[in-house]
Amino acid sequence: MRISLLPLFLLALPLLEIVGFVIVGREVGALATVGLVIASSLAGVLLLRHQGFGVMSRIRAEMDAGRDPSRELAHGAMIVVAAVLLIIPGFITDIIGLLLFLPPLRDLAWSRLKGRIVVATSFSTGGFRGRSRDKVIDLEDGDYSREDDFKRGPDHNSPWRRLKDD
């Protein structure tokens, strides 16, 4: 049976972040530590905005060329995770977030993860199908108005009324 270390890491992460705050605060001071945390949060927001638009254009280019955009989608998801890790206060999450912004490390992570991901659809089917449009009622501007319904009252000969009464 294989034991995952991820839950243990997630439980230990807040303690490790507190230790990181204490060590950095002792070296550079409390005010500088708070400034670093705020600066890393702002960097996360700015990097998400800048990198996110680039990933979206690469995904669009892959789809327009008829290729599988899964790599670019994975890169986009990792950029979102990296930005969230930068926005979360803490130096360990900042280091992990900065590493995820590096394309070679994202490629390495994608090469490790792509064997575990199952694609539930195919891009060769021609996209999404729209609704069937064979029962369209085309009215002219003068054929219908809401005010006429209120003046006349309910139409007892309407097929909708008959279906409801049956």
Side-chain angles (χ1 to χ4, degrees), residues 16-37 90-92 95:
L16 294 172
E17 292 290 5
I18 291 171
V19 170
F21 282 129
V22 169
I23 291 172
V24 172
R26 189 179 317 145
E27 293 297 320
V28 298
L31 194 58
T33 303
V34 172
L36 285 171
V37 170
F91 295 109
I92 295 171
I95 292 169

Side-chain angles (χ1 to χ4, degrees), residues 16-70:
L16 294 172
E17 292 290 5
I18 291 171
V19 170
F21 282 129
V22 169
I23 291 172
V24 172
R26 189 179 317 145
E27 293 297 320
V28 298
L31 194 58
T33 303
V34 172
L36 285 171
V37 170
I38 292 171
S40 71
S41 294
L42 288 174
V45 169
L46 294 174
L47 282 171
L48 175 62
R49 182 181 172 133
H50 177 65
Q51 292 282 324
F53 285 128
V55 168
M56 292 304 294
S57 65
R58 288 192 298 272
I59 289 171
R60 171 67 69 188
E62 290 292 314
M63 291 179 69
D64 288 343
R67 293 187 295 260
D68 181 15
S70 59

Side-chain angles (χ1 to χ4, degrees), residues 79-158:
I79 286 173
V80 168
V81 169
V84 168
L85 288 174
L86 279 174
I87 293 169
I88 293 173
F91 295 109
I92 295 171
T93 55
D94 289 348
I95 292 169
I96 296 169
L98 286 173
L99 289 174
L100 275 176
F101 270 112
L102 300 174
L105 289 177
R106 289 196 310 256
D107 282 331
L108 177 66
W110 174 239
S111 68
R112 299 281 180 151
L113 291 175
K114 71 179 174 183
R116 297 179 181 188
I117 296 174
V118 177
V119 178
T121 185
S122 173
F123 290 100
S124 62
T125 59
F128 297 105
R129 291 187 183 151
R131 288 188 330 179
S132 175
R133 304 259 182 204
D134 44 320
K135 294 189 178 186
V136 175
I137 300 172
D138 191 16
L139 298 175
E140 297 296 327
D141 289 337
D143 289 345
Y144 175 79
S145 72
R146 285 296 266 187
E147 290 81 26
D148 290 342
D149 285 344
F150 290 119
K151 291 177 191 172
R152 277 194 317 235
D155 183 7
H156 297 288
N157 295 325
S158 168

